[in-house]
Amino acid sequence: MKIYTAPMAGITDYSFRKILEKFEPDFLFTEMVNANLLNREDDTTINELLKCDDKEKTGTQIFGGDRNELISGILKLKNFGFRKININMGCPQPKIIKNGAGSALLKNYELVEQVLSEIQNIGADISIKIRAGYKDFKNPEIFLDLANKYSLDFICIHGRTQKQMYSGTADWEIVKKLSNIPRKTEFFGNGDLFEPLEIKKKIQNSNLDGIILSRGIIGNPWLILQAREFLKTGKIKRIQTFDETKSLVLEHLKNIVKNKGEMKAVLEINKFLRPYFQKFWDKNLDRNSEIATIENYYDENLKTKIDKIILEKGILEKIRNIEML
């Protein structure tokens, strides 16, 4: 069972991917890349979003609603050295779909096929990531047929419709149904993969080649190792400790400082602080079960401490307060 990490705007930047690499996913993706900005050679897109040390282990995802922009952008990504390029057909955000991109591509089968036909021999591994539905479109099977027709690297389905955004629950029955259709391409599932036990339950009776972890790894890269371990052995040996969490947060913060400077780092680390530490103030977690994912540590005042660190504007004070937790 392969474990990939998803492309997430504002999350899977170079600094966080350096953290994720330590937990050995089978493959990583950069942030989503806007085809229009890429074709205009936007500095931020090329120098920040696409910053990458190892393009053999890191791919990228492109989004757009224009046929020519998508084709040109994919060719640029290939020329930049990326060997795995994913076409985003799942993003539910209104600002994305209003331009015909993301999950809006689900209703534009002909455009998608034109793009795949044009790029099928460029020498890169092309894949698509879709949602289960978009408005009146409720036929994801046709994109599995398309993936087979053009021998795509893989197809990934997120078991929500565009309308659901990230609310409700992902429908893993749809994922299971599609995964068991005969195919010539790899099939990945995605959606609501937050804990090793629930991951195992969701993928039971599916014919998956892998899963793609997304929101579940924000502040919890341990999920990569724990999910792999639990799927193989039914046990978890590598638990998350409080001291290890502090150390990783400091490393993540220093990565951002190095790559984006102190001013951005002070702000950008904030989105990760609660996710990194929240398990240690959640009194409802079972820390003593056979499949515990964290050490038996609990601090009821930790949330208040983290909120104060989030408000801290100085980089040295921020580092010092994290060290003192």
Side-chain angles (χ1 to χ4, degrees):
M1 177 70 65
K2 296 178 180 178
I3 298 179
Y4 289 5
T5 63
M8 291 181 279
I11 299 295
T12 51
D13 64 357
Y14 180 79
S15 300
F16 187 44
R17 292 199 315 274
K18 298 306 289 183
I19 296 297
L20 294 176
E21 286 174 3
K22 300 165 75 71
F23 295 84
E24 302 179 349
D26 293 293
F27 205 81
L28 304 94
F29 282 90
T30 71
E31 298 174 79
M32 292 165 42
V33 175
N34 184 320
N36 178 270
L37 294 178
L38 177 61
N39 285 308
R40 287 161 44 193
E41 299 189 351
D42 171 72
D43 285 343
T44 300
T45 300
I46 293 174
N47 298 322
E48 190 169 300
L49 269 65
L50 295 177
K51 185 174 183 180
C52 180
D53 294 331
D54 183 0
K55 295 184 176 72
E56 287 299 307
K57 293 285 288 184
T58 304
T60 190
Q61 183 190 71
I62 190 169
F63 71 90
D66 179 86
R67 170 187 175 276
N68 292 330
E69 279 191 347
L70 277 170
I71 292 171
S72 177
I74 290 167
L75 291 173
K76 280 183 178 292
L77 293 172
K78 165 63 171 60
N79 290 335
F80 286 154
F82 288 100
R83 70 177 182 89
K84 283 184 184 286
I85 302 168
N86 183 262
I87 300 174
N88 182 304
M89 297 170 56
C91 182
Q93 296 293 345
K95 66 180 181 181
I96 301 293
I97 64 175
K98 74 176 182 180
N99 295 314
S103 55
L105 282 178
L106 293 171
K107 66 174 184 177
N108 206 340
Y109 178 92
E110 290 185 359
L111 182 150
V112 176
E113 179 161 29
Q114 289 169 1
V115 171
L116 294 178
S117 175
E118 189 76 21
I119 61 173
Q120 63 180 320
N121 296 314
I122 66 170
D125 297 330
I126 306 298
S127 59
I128 56 176
K129 187 172 185 287
I130 71 172
R131 281 203 167 212
Y134 176 81
K135 294 187 177 179
D136 294 331
F137 170 81
K138 298 182 179 67
N139 186 21
E141 290 89 345
I142 65 173
F143 287 103
L144 181 56
D145 292 339
L146 208 57
N148 285 328
K149 180 177 180 179
Y150 290 98
S151 299
L152 297 188
D153 183 34
F154 68 84
I155 180 172
C156 176
I157 181 166
H158 180 116
R160 281 185 175 86
T161 64
Q162 182 276 329
K163 185 178 180 180
Q164 284 181 275
M165 297 288 285
Y166 297 102
S167 65
T169 57
D171 186 351
W172 274 83
E173 291 305 314
I174 290 178
V175 178
K176 290 177 185 178
K177 175 185 172 183
L178 293 176
S179 73
N180 284 298
I181 296 174
R183 62 179 188 268
K184 298 186 295 184
T185 185
E186 291 195 335
F187 192 106
F188 284 69
N190 171 247
D192 291 349
L193 301 178
F194 295 103
E195 296 290 343
L197 179 59
E198 68 180 24
I199 290 173
K200 187 169 184 176
K201 288 180 179 178
K202 283 181 168 65
I203 69 174
Q204 281 179 346
N205 303 318
S206 296
N207 181 25
L208 295 174
D209 296 287
I211 54 175
I212 297 185
L213 302 177
S214 49
R215 290 180 296 156
I217 59 171
I218 299 174
N220 186 22
W222 290 267
L223 180 61
I224 300 165
L225 289 176
Q226 291 172 343
R228 179 181 290 120
E229 189 174 35
F230 191 68
L231 291 175
K232 284 183 178 180
T233 69
K235 298 179 180 179
I236 294 175
K237 294 181 180 179
R238 175 71 184 276
I239 64 170
Q240 177 185 353
T241 70
F242 186 74
D243 286 342
E244 184 182 21
T245 301
K246 283 202 306 180
S247 177
L248 201 69
V249 169
L250 289 168
E251 183 177 347
H252 190 171
L253 177 55
K254 290 170 184 176
N255 284 351
I256 306 174
V257 171
K258 182 178 179 181
N259 290 290
K260 298 181 180 180
E262 292 183 358
M263 290 183 64
K264 283 191 175 181
V266 167
L267 296 175
E268 289 199 11
I269 194 62
N270 288 342
K271 74 183 80 169
F272 293 94
L273 288 176
R274 286 180 182 170
Y276 267 124
F277 288 104
Q278 64 186 4
K279 286 186 177 182
F280 295 106
W281 72 64
D282 186 349
K283 62 182 178 182
N284 296 315
L285 287 180
D286 184 356
R287 293 168 166 79
N288 297 303
S289 71
E290 291 184 8
I291 56 166
T293 59
I294 60 169
E295 71 172 331
N296 189 10
Y297 177 97
Y298 171 69
D299 181 352
E300 64 180 4
N301 298 314
L302 184 58
K303 185 176 184 297
T304 300
K305 296 174 186 176
I306 296 300
D307 287 346
K308 288 181 179 178
I309 293 174
I310 287 173
L311 295 174
E312 181 57 63
K313 299 289 195 297
I315 187 67
L316 294 180
E317 291 79 5
K318 203 145 196 157
I319 291 172
R320 188 178 302 113
N321 287 335
I322 293 171
E323 290 173 337
M324 293 174 60
L325 284 172

